[in-house]
């Protein structure tokens, strides 16, 4: 093959990979802002009661509300992609009761996964969910090595160590930073006891 064409395809793939990671992070933060908006209000705004309407903290949505808001758009987008890349007539001709069953089971499992993911974002926050998503790959690698005797190339081992180092740095930084929701300690005026 043409080396120039292969290089451009590699760069194209890297661009898509980078964009998918970026967009996944944006999605997690947007969902987290809907689920826990007070986590994004500044400490000063919370103390002064300016965080929401009429001085109240901004309302948070339940995971089911967020899912109900996002599911129709995602379904429409997936349908538009399927219509532009697949042949609907050949898909209908190949439908069998077994394939319909598996499509419905796939939709059910995807729905459950999305709702559980939103519940996790609400409990853990966007940053922690991104970390959990990265650790998921490491756990799968460890299990495949332990149970099926898979070998791990040096590049994968280096990447794994890099991810674990990033998790450790993030966790250490998070434990050193004061919480946004706890008000700072105010100094008590000294009382003259003489």
């Amino acid at each position: 093959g043409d080396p120039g064409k292969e290089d451009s395809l590699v760069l194209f793939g890297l661009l898509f990979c980078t964009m998918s990671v970026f967009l996944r992070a944006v999605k997690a933060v947007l969902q987290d802002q809907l689920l826990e908006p007070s986590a994004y209000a500044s400490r000063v705004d919370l103390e002064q009661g300016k965080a929401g309407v009429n001085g109240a903290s901004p309302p948070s949505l339940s995971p089911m509300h967020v899912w109900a808001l996002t599911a129709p758009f995602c379904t429409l987008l997936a349908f538009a992609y399927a219509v532009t890349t697949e042949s609907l007539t050949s898909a209908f001709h190949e439908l069998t009761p077994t394939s319909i069953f598996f499509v419905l089971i796939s939709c059910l499992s995807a729905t459950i996964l999305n709702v559980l993911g939103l519940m996790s974002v609400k409990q853990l926050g966007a940053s922690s969910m991104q970390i959990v998503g990265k650790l998921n790959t490491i756990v799968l690698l460890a299990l495949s090595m332990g149970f099926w005797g898979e070998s791990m190339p040096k590049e994968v081992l280096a990447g794994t160590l890099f991810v674990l180092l990033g998790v450790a740095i993030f966790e250490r930084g998070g434990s050193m930073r004061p919480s946004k929701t706890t008000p700072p300690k105010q100094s008590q005026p000294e009382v003259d006891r003489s």
Side-chain angles (χ1 to χ4, degrees), residues 36-59:
E36 290 296 329
S38 61
Y40 291 88
S42 72
R43 180 182 298 172
V44 175
D45 288 343
L46 289 173
E47 289 171 0
Q48 295 176 354
K50 296 179 183 175
V53 179
N54 297 329
S57 63

PDB file of all heavy atoms in Angstrom, residues 36-59:
ATOM      1  N   GLU A  36     -26.029  17.244  39.566  1.00  0.00           N
ATOM      2  CA  GLU A  36     -25.538  17.894  40.790  1.00  0.00           C
ATOM      3  C   GLU A  36     -25.053  19.308  40.474  1.00  0.00           C
ATOM      4  O   GLU A  36     -23.853  19.588  40.512  1.00  0.00           O
ATOM      5  CB  GLU A  36     -24.396  17.078  41.402  1.00  0.00           C
ATOM      6  CG  GLU A  36     -24.822  15.771  42.010  1.00  0.00           C
ATOM      7  CD  GLU A  36     -25.751  15.938  43.201  1.00  0.00           C
ATOM      8  OE1 GLU A  36     -25.635  16.943  43.921  1.00  0.00           O
ATOM      9  OE2 GLU A  36     -26.598  15.061  43.396  1.00  0.00           O
ATOM     10  N   PRO A  37     -25.955  20.241  40.172  1.00  0.00           N
ATOM     11  CA  PRO A  37     -25.521  21.588  39.792  1.00  0.00           C
ATOM     12  C   PRO A  37     -24.822  22.343  40.920  1.00  0.00           C
ATOM     13  O   PRO A  37     -24.004  23.217  40.664  1.00  0.00           O
ATOM     14  CB  PRO A  37     -26.814  22.281  39.369  1.00  0.00           C
ATOM     15  CG  PRO A  37     -27.899  21.490  39.986  1.00  0.00           C
ATOM     16  CD  PRO A  37     -27.397  20.091  40.133  1.00  0.00           C
ATOM     17  N   SER A  38     -25.125  22.007  42.157  1.00  0.00           N
ATOM     18  CA  SER A  38     -24.484  22.726  43.262  1.00  0.00           C
ATOM     19  C   SER A  38     -22.991  22.439  43.328  1.00  0.00           C
ATOM     20  O   SER A  38     -22.231  23.234  43.879  1.00  0.00           O
ATOM     21  CB  SER A  38     -25.148  22.371  44.590  1.00  0.00           C
ATOM     22  OG  SER A  38     -25.025  20.981  44.840  1.00  0.00           O
ATOM     23  N   ALA A  39     -22.548  21.339  42.762  1.00  0.00           N
ATOM     24  CA  ALA A  39     -21.115  21.027  42.746  1.00  0.00           C
ATOM     25  C   ALA A  39     -20.349  21.979  41.836  1.00  0.00           C
ATOM     26  O   ALA A  39     -19.133  22.110  41.958  1.00  0.00           O
ATOM     27  CB  ALA A  39     -20.884  19.587  42.287  1.00  0.00           C
ATOM     28  N   TYR A  40     -21.056  22.651  40.924  1.00  0.00           N
ATOM     29  CA  TYR A  40     -20.407  23.562  39.984  1.00  0.00           C
ATOM     30  C   TYR A  40     -20.583  25.027  40.371  1.00  0.00           C
ATOM     31  O   TYR A  40     -20.060  25.900  39.711  1.00  0.00           O
ATOM     32  CB  TYR A  40     -20.925  23.318  38.562  1.00  0.00           C
ATOM     33  CG  TYR A  40     -20.470  21.988  38.042  1.00  0.00           C
ATOM     34  CD1 TYR A  40     -21.214  20.838  38.278  1.00  0.00           C
ATOM     35  CD2 TYR A  40     -19.273  21.858  37.369  1.00  0.00           C
ATOM     36  CE1 TYR A  40     -20.780  19.605  37.833  1.00  0.00           C
ATOM     37  CE2 TYR A  40     -18.832  20.636  36.921  1.00  0.00           C
ATOM     38  CZ  TYR A  40     -19.587  19.511  37.152  1.00  0.00           C
ATOM     39  OH  TYR A  40     -19.146  18.303  36.732  1.00  0.00           O
ATOM     40  N   ALA A  41     -21.347  25.277  41.423  1.00  0.00           N
ATOM     41  CA  ALA A  41     -21.498  26.648  41.902  1.00  0.00           C
ATOM     42  C   ALA A  41     -20.268  26.991  42.735  1.00  0.00           C
ATOM     43  O   ALA A  41     -19.734  26.152  43.455  1.00  0.00           O
ATOM     44  CB  ALA A  41     -22.757  26.779  42.743  1.00  0.00           C
ATOM     45  N   SER A  42     -19.823  28.221  42.636  1.00  0.00           N
ATOM     46  CA  SER A  42     -18.643  28.609  43.401  1.00  0.00           C
ATOM     47  C   SER A  42     -18.997  28.712  44.876  1.00  0.00           C
ATOM     48  O   SER A  42     -20.155  28.902  45.253  1.00  0.00           O
ATOM     49  CB  SER A  42     -18.088  29.944  42.894  1.00  0.00           C
ATOM     50  OG  SER A  42     -18.941  30.993  43.278  1.00  0.00           O
ATOM     51  N   ARG A  43     -18.002  28.578  45.722  1.00  0.00           N
ATOM     52  CA  ARG A  43     -18.205  28.644  47.161  1.00  0.00           C
ATOM     53  C   ARG A  43     -18.791  29.999  47.555  1.00  0.00           C
ATOM     54  O   ARG A  43     -19.673  30.084  48.398  1.00  0.00           O
ATOM     55  CB  ARG A  43     -16.883  28.411  47.885  1.00  0.00           C
ATOM     56  CG  ARG A  43     -17.041  28.462  49.388  1.00  0.00           C
ATOM     57  CD  ARG A  43     -15.742  28.284  50.086  1.00  0.00           C
ATOM     58  NE  ARG A  43     -15.198  26.980  49.758  1.00  0.00           N
ATOM     59  CZ  ARG A  43     -13.986  26.600  50.104  1.00  0.00           C
ATOM     60  NH1 ARG A  43     -13.204  27.401  50.772  1.00  0.00           N
ATOM     61  NH2 ARG A  43     -13.550  25.404  49.784  1.00  0.00           N
ATOM     62  N   VAL A  44     -18.328  31.069  46.926  1.00  0.00           N
ATOM     63  CA  VAL A  44     -18.823  32.409  47.236  1.00  0.00           C
ATOM     64  C   VAL A  44     -20.305  32.510  46.908  1.00  0.00           C
ATOM     65  O   VAL A  44     -21.098  33.033  47.696  1.00  0.00           O
ATOM     66  CB  VAL A  44     -18.014  33.481  46.470  1.00  0.00           C
ATOM     67  CG1 VAL A  44     -18.599  34.859  46.683  1.00  0.00           C
ATOM     68  CG2 VAL A  44     -16.552  33.425  46.880  1.00  0.00           C
ATOM     69  N   ASP A  45     -20.718  31.986  45.755  1.00  0.00           N
ATOM     70  CA  ASP A  45     -22.127  32.028  45.378  1.00  0.00           C
ATOM     71  C   ASP A  45     -22.983  31.244  46.359  1.00  0.00           C
ATOM     72  O   ASP A  45     -24.082  31.670  46.716  1.00  0.00           O
ATOM     73  CB  ASP A  45     -22.330  31.477  43.966  1.00  0.00           C
ATOM     74  CG  ASP A  45     -21.819  32.419  42.894  1.00  0.00           C
ATOM     75  OD1 ASP A  45     -21.615  33.613  43.211  1.00  0.00           O
ATOM     76  OD2 ASP A  45     -21.624  31.961  41.750  1.00  0.00           O
ATOM     77  N   LEU A  46     -22.499  30.084  46.805  1.00  0.00           N
ATOM     78  CA  LEU A  46     -23.265  29.281  47.750  1.00  0.00           C
ATOM     79  C   LEU A  46     -23.399  29.996  49.092  1.00  0.00           C
ATOM     80  O   LEU A  46     -24.452  29.969  49.720  1.00  0.00           O
ATOM     81  CB  LEU A  46     -22.600  27.913  47.943  1.00  0.00           C
ATOM     82  CG  LEU A  46     -22.698  26.949  46.762  1.00  0.00           C
ATOM     83  CD1 LEU A  46     -21.860  25.707  47.013  1.00  0.00           C
ATOM     84  CD2 LEU A  46     -24.138  26.564  46.507  1.00  0.00           C
ATOM     85  N   GLU A  47     -22.318  30.630  49.542  1.00  0.00           N
ATOM     86  CA  GLU A  47     -22.365  31.328  50.823  1.00  0.00           C
ATOM     87  C   GLU A  47     -23.287  32.535  50.778  1.00  0.00           C
ATOM     88  O   GLU A  47     -23.975  32.848  51.740  1.00  0.00           O
ATOM     89  CB  GLU A  47     -20.959  31.771  51.238  1.00  0.00           C
ATOM     90  CG  GLU A  47     -20.068  30.629  51.646  1.00  0.00           C
ATOM     91  CD  GLU A  47     -18.621  31.076  51.830  1.00  0.00           C
ATOM     92  OE1 GLU A  47     -18.328  32.267  51.630  1.00  0.00           O
ATOM     93  OE2 GLU A  47     -17.797  30.219  52.168  1.00  0.00           O
ATOM     94  N   GLN A  48     -23.311  33.223  49.654  1.00  0.00           N
ATOM     95  CA  GLN A  48     -24.122  34.432  49.534  1.00  0.00           C
ATOM     96  C   GLN A  48     -25.538  34.141  49.052  1.00  0.00           C
ATOM     97  O   GLN A  48     -26.335  35.040  48.883  1.00  0.00           O
ATOM     98  CB  GLN A  48     -23.440  35.421  48.587  1.00  0.00           C
ATOM     99  CG  GLN A  48     -22.118  35.926  49.110  1.00  0.00           C
ATOM    100  CD  GLN A  48     -21.421  36.832  48.111  1.00  0.00           C
ATOM    101  OE1 GLN A  48     -21.871  37.009  46.986  1.00  0.00           O
ATOM    102  NE2 GLN A  48     -20.305  37.403  48.526  1.00  0.00           N
ATOM    103  N   GLY A  49     -25.844  32.871  48.806  1.00  0.00           N
ATOM    104  CA  GLY A  49     -27.190  32.513  48.366  1.00  0.00           C
ATOM    105  C   GLY A  49     -27.489  32.897  46.943  1.00  0.00           C
ATOM    106  O   GLY A  49     -28.636  33.043  46.570  1.00  0.00           O
ATOM    107  N   LYS A  50     -26.449  33.064  46.114  1.00  0.00           N
ATOM    108  CA  LYS A  50     -26.650  33.473  44.724  1.00  0.00           C
ATOM    109  C   LYS A  50     -26.576  32.298  43.760  1.00  0.00           C
ATOM    110  O   LYS A  50     -26.493  32.475  42.574  1.00  0.00           O
ATOM    111  CB  LYS A  50     -25.587  34.493  44.311  1.00  0.00           C
ATOM    112  CG  LYS A  50     -25.643  35.783  45.072  1.00  0.00           C
ATOM    113  CD  LYS A  50     -24.538  36.691  44.594  1.00  0.00           C
ATOM    114  CE  LYS A  50     -24.495  37.976  45.368  1.00  0.00           C
ATOM    115  NZ  LYS A  50     -23.348  38.799  44.988  1.00  0.00           N
ATOM    116  N   ALA A  51     -26.575  31.080  44.277  1.00  0.00           N
ATOM    117  CA  ALA A  51     -26.334  29.928  43.424  1.00  0.00           C
ATOM    118  C   ALA A  51     -27.504  29.613  42.514  1.00  0.00           C
ATOM    119  O   ALA A  51     -27.332  29.057  41.457  1.00  0.00           O
ATOM    120  CB  ALA A  51     -26.021  28.705  44.277  1.00  0.00           C
ATOM    121  N   GLY A  52     -28.717  29.945  42.907  1.00  0.00           N
ATOM    122  CA  GLY A  52     -29.854  29.582  42.077  1.00  0.00           C
ATOM    123  C   GLY A  52     -30.899  30.669  42.067  1.00  0.00           C
ATOM    124  O   GLY A  52     -30.649  31.814  42.405  1.00  0.00           O
ATOM    125  N   VAL A  53     -32.095  30.297  41.700  1.00  0.00           N
ATOM    126  CA  VAL A  53     -33.200  31.238  41.627  1.00  0.00           C
ATOM    127  C   VAL A  53     -33.651  31.575  43.043  1.00  0.00           C
ATOM    128  O   VAL A  53     -33.801  30.692  43.885  1.00  0.00           O
ATOM    129  CB  VAL A  53     -34.365  30.611  40.821  1.00  0.00           C
ATOM    130  CG1 VAL A  53     -35.534  31.572  40.747  1.00  0.00           C
ATOM    131  CG2 VAL A  53     -33.889  30.220  39.446  1.00  0.00           C
ATOM    132  N   ASN A  54     -33.875  32.854  43.331  1.00  0.00           N
ATOM    133  CA  ASN A  54     -34.332  33.341  44.637  1.00  0.00           C
ATOM    134  C   ASN A  54     -33.419  32.902  45.780  1.00  0.00           C
ATOM    135  O   ASN A  54     -33.868  32.615  46.879  1.00  0.00           O
ATOM    136  CB  ASN A  54     -35.767  32.886  44.919  1.00  0.00           C
ATOM    137  CG  ASN A  54     -36.745  33.466  43.925  1.00  0.00           C
ATOM    138  OD1 ASN A  54     -36.536  34.572  43.419  1.00  0.00           O
ATOM    139  ND2 ASN A  54     -37.793  32.734  43.622  1.00  0.00           N
ATOM    140  N   GLY A  55     -32.144  32.801  45.509  1.00  0.00           N
ATOM    141  CA  GLY A  55     -31.183  32.455  46.546  1.00  0.00           C
ATOM    142  C   GLY A  55     -31.117  30.978  46.878  1.00  0.00           C
ATOM    143  O   GLY A  55     -30.318  30.575  47.706  1.00  0.00           O
ATOM    144  N   ALA A  56     -31.963  30.158  46.284  1.00  0.00           N
ATOM    145  CA  ALA A  56     -31.938  28.728  46.563  1.00  0.00           C
ATOM    146  C   ALA A  56     -30.872  28.068  45.703  1.00  0.00           C
ATOM    147  O   ALA A  56     -30.474  28.588  44.670  1.00  0.00           O
ATOM    148  CB  ALA A  56     -33.296  28.108  46.255  1.00  0.00           C
ATOM    149  N   SER A  57     -30.403  26.922  46.157  1.00  0.00           N
ATOM    150  CA  SER A  57     -29.425  26.212  45.341  1.00  0.00           C
ATOM    151  C   SER A  57     -30.109  25.704  44.079  1.00  0.00           C
ATOM    152  O   SER A  57     -31.308  25.448  44.074  1.00  0.00           O
ATOM    153  CB  SER A  57     -28.813  25.055  46.131  1.00  0.00           C
ATOM    154  OG  SER A  57     -29.806  24.114  46.450  1.00  0.00           O
ATOM    155  N   PRO A  58     -29.356  25.566  42.989  1.00  0.00           N
ATOM    156  CA  PRO A  58     -29.973  25.144  41.726  1.00  0.00           C
ATOM    157  C   PRO A  58     -30.602  23.757  41.875  1.00  0.00           C
ATOM    158  O   PRO A  58     -30.067  22.916  42.583  1.00  0.00           O
ATOM    159  CB  PRO A  58     -28.811  25.099  40.735  1.00  0.00           C
ATOM    160  CG  PRO A  58     -27.626  25.610  41.447  1.00  0.00           C
ATOM    161  CD  PRO A  58     -27.941  25.766  42.882  1.00  0.00           C
ATOM    162  N   PRO A  59     -31.729  23.530  41.225  1.00  0.00           N
ATOM    163  CA  PRO A  59     -32.374  22.213  41.351  1.00  0.00           C
ATOM    164  C   PRO A  59     -31.570  21.152  40.619  1.00  0.00           C
ATOM    165  O   PRO A  59     -31.004  21.401  39.562  1.00  0.00           O
ATOM    166  CB  PRO A  59     -33.737  22.425  40.689  1.00  0.00           C
ATOM    167  CG  PRO A  59     -33.517  23.548  39.732  1.00  0.00           C
ATOM    168  CD  PRO A  59     -32.469  24.422  40.352  1.00  0.00           C
TER     169      PRO A  59
END
